[in-house]
Amino acid sequence: MLVQPEMDDRVSGRPAGVVILGGAHGTLALARSLGMQKVPVWLVSADTPLPRFSRYAHRQMTWPGPDDDGAVAFLLNLAATQGLEGFLLIPGGDPEVRLVSQSIDQLSAAFDVLLPPWQQLKWVCDKPLLYRRARELALAIPLTYEFTSLEQAAAAKLRFPVILKPNMGGRSRFARAKAVLANDQATFLTAYKWTAGEIGIENVVVQEMIPGGGESQFSYAALWNRGAPVAEFTARRSRQYPVDFGYTSTFVEVVDEPQLIDIARRLLGSIDHHGLVEVEFKRDPRDGSLKILDVNPRPWTWFGLAAAAGVDLGAMLWAIKSGHKVAAVSARPNTSWMYLVRDVVAAGKLISSGRLTKQAYLRSFGPVRAWATFAASDPVPGLIDIPLTVWRVLMRRILRIR
């Protein structure tokens, strides 16, 4: 719940601009937020081209990507040759988060890095460590199974349905899918063998699927500065695609859930967090507990909701880095964000299954104040999003057939 900038007499030298590594819709929203503040934004990406079409992208560059052996050297050379020393460096995707955090000592010689070092951050990024830390703090998590071999997994008595998830996002097919659902033992074993072959047994997380749909999915969104929250608010991820355990949110609305804030503060405070962050939860209808699912220390898909709700995390981030104070304000209620291209499909499936009425779906457009790609001041990304999405879907299907 957040903020308006207020000048501080002790203004320090601010960075000359921002470099964002990778990311898609969250990166686009952050670039727009910073661009509105007249901040030069450099986009360096090896994947989706969407943010590059923004008028707020000062410069765009491709690179070998965060998994390349020369990634750190590339960034240091970029800073030296393009005059980016002192720029704020923000990772926009999970592999970029890992690279920047693990290489923070080297990268800090050229950039102002907005992340904790990996020895702290790994406790919320790597899911097995996240769940261990949550248990240490007496915070609720889904029932999670730990296996060290295929034989052990085959002999286990599981509570179905279960979900298989990668320990952290990456470039593999499994990491891009984000989750695989298994409703029975045979399906589970097939999925487990495939996912273990993709990323290794030690990196596959197996959990029970918590009952409930979008009404049970919540998030804590915030900006932290050196171990303390500067601005924070809570939201419900009411619809997603796919509808049962989506890899992307499609309709998100501001809600008031104080318990989320208490839980997230305990978790993030334990690692002395620094930077942007979203913590994902699901309320278990069986006991009412809010269970931690994931932590994203980067711009997330629906990052644009923050500015629309009066909590402009990007502007606040820049204000802090410019030596300004930020005064706390609350996020505006009855404010929503929509990813229209995906939400039409998600809503269609929910309507056809009787879980959503057409009238309720049409009413949900009323409070929408932010869109995943479209903005009146920056229309081009919204215009190209549909053909880009169609192309990605076709390519996935072609690769699946092959």
Side-chain angles (χ1 to χ4, degrees), residues 233-315:
F233 70 101
T234 55
R236 178 165 51 220
R237 307 189 316 277
S238 301
R239 290 194 293 271
Q240 60 185 356
Y241 179 83
V243 297
D244 291 319
F245 54 98
Y247 60 76
T248 186
S249 299
T250 65
F251 180 72
V252 183
E253 51 193 334
V254 171
V255 296
D256 185 20
E257 286 286 345
Q259 189 180 354
L260 294 180
I261 294 176
D262 293 338
I263 298 171
R265 284 182 177 179
R266 289 177 61 191
L267 177 64
L268 298 171
S270 75
I271 66 160
D272 198 28
H273 187 61
H274 180 55
L276 298 167
V277 66
E278 180 216 10
V279 185
E280 298 180 1
F281 296 85
K282 191 166 186 178
R283 176 171 281 133
D284 193 328
R286 297 167 296 188
D287 59 11
S289 64
L290 285 161
K291 295 183 174 177
I292 298 171
L293 300 180
D294 201 3
V295 176
N296 299 308
R298 52 168 174 76
W300 46 97
T301 301
W302 51 272
F303 185 82
L305 177 61
V311 183
D312 193 336
L313 298 178

Side-chain angles (χ1 to χ4, degrees), residues 339 341-342 384-397:
Y339 185 3
V341 178
R342 297 286 191 186
I384 69 168
D385 185 45
I386 293 178
L388 275 178
T389 300
V390 171
W391 174 254
R392 286 195 298 267
V393 170
L394 287 175
M395 288 305 296
R396 286 196 190 103
R397 289 183 178 178

Side-chain angles (χ1 to χ4, degrees), residues 326-341:
V326 228
V329 298
S330 298
R332 284 192 290 268
N334 197 35
T335 305
S336 301
W337 169 98
M338 184 180 286
Y339 185 3
L340 182 60
V341 178

Side-chain angles (χ1 to χ4, degrees), residues 14-20 34 38-42 83-90 111-112 318 321:
R14 65 182 180 182
V18 174
V19 176
I20 307 177
L34 293 168
K38 310 298 183 185
V39 179
V41 176
W42 284 56
L84 305 184
E85 290 90 348
F87 270 48
L88 186 60
L89 182 64
I90 302 175
F111 298 99
D112 184 352
W318 189 251
K321 286 298 178 180

Side-chain angles (χ1 to χ4, degrees), residues 114-387:
L114 194 70
L115 271 184
W118 187 246
Q119 59 264 31
Q120 297 166 219
L121 195 62
K122 67 181 181 181
W123 289 98
V124 295
C125 283
D126 192 297
K127 289 185 181 65
L129 295 180
L130 166 63
Y131 301 137
R132 186 193 306 177
R133 175 56 56 90
R135 285 191 292 264
E136 292 170 354
L137 296 171
L139 304 177
I141 60 171
L143 175 62
T144 304
Y145 303 91
E146 297 182 3
F147 304 127
T148 57
S149 67
L150 291 173
E151 293 73 21
Q152 189 181 27
K157 301 297 183 183
L158 305 181
R159 184 191 298 175
F160 290 102
V162 297
I163 291 179
L164 293 81
K165 303 190 291 187
N167 66 326
M168 189 174 175
R171 305 297 187 208
S172 69
R173 288 178 297 168
F174 179 34
R176 287 182 180 275
K178 293 192 177 181
V180 175
L181 175 66
N183 289 303
D184 54 56
Q185 185 75 2
T187 305
F188 163 69
L189 289 177
T190 299
Y192 192 74
K193 290 176 183 177
W194 174 70
T195 55
E198 281 269 306
I199 63 173
I201 287 177
E202 68 281 4
N203 296 319
V204 179
V205 177
V206 181
Q207 289 181 332
E208 69 165 336
M209 182 175 176
I210 300 172
E215 76 285 350
S216 303
Q217 299 173 167
F218 297 91
S219 282
Y220 165 90
L223 169 65
W224 279 55
N225 187 35
R226 306 197 181 283
V230 173
E232 55 195 0
F233 70 101
T234 55
R236 178 165 51 220
R237 307 189 316 277
S238 301
R239 290 194 293 271
Q240 60 185 356
Y241 179 83
V243 297
D244 291 319
F245 54 98
Y247 60 76
T248 186
S249 299
T250 65
F251 180 72
V252 183
E253 51 193 334
V254 171
V255 296
D256 185 20
E257 286 286 345
Q259 189 180 354
L260 294 180
I261 294 176
D262 293 338
I263 298 171
R265 284 182 177 179
R266 289 177 61 191
L267 177 64
L268 298 171
S270 75
I271 66 160
D272 198 28
H273 187 61
H274 180 55
L276 298 167
V277 66
E278 180 216 10
V279 185
E280 298 180 1
F281 296 85
K282 191 166 186 178
R283 176 171 281 133
D284 193 328
R286 297 167 296 188
D287 59 11
S289 64
L290 285 161
K291 295 183 174 177
I292 298 171
L293 300 180
D294 201 3
V295 176
N296 299 308
R298 52 168 174 76
W300 46 97
T301 301
W302 51 272
F303 185 82
L305 177 61
V311 183
D312 193 336
L313 298 178
M316 290 186 284
L317 181 158
W318 189 251
I320 290 172
K321 286 298 178 180
S322 301
H324 300 169
K325 289 181 180 177
V326 228
V329 298
S330 298
R332 284 192 290 268
N334 197 35
T335 305
S336 301
W337 169 98
M338 184 180 286
Y339 185 3
L340 182 60
V341 178
R342 297 286 191 186
D343 196 55
V344 169
V345 180
K349 291 184 177 297
L350 292 171
I351 291 170
S352 64
S353 64
R355 295 156 64 182
L356 179 70
T357 66
K358 293 179 181 178
Q359 293 77 12
Y361 178 60
L362 293 175
R363 284 197 301 270
S364 71
F365 281 80
V368 174
R369 299 293 180 269
W371 305 90
T373 56
F374 180 77
S377 63
D378 187 27
V380 177
L383 295 175
I384 69 168
D385 185 45
I386 293 178

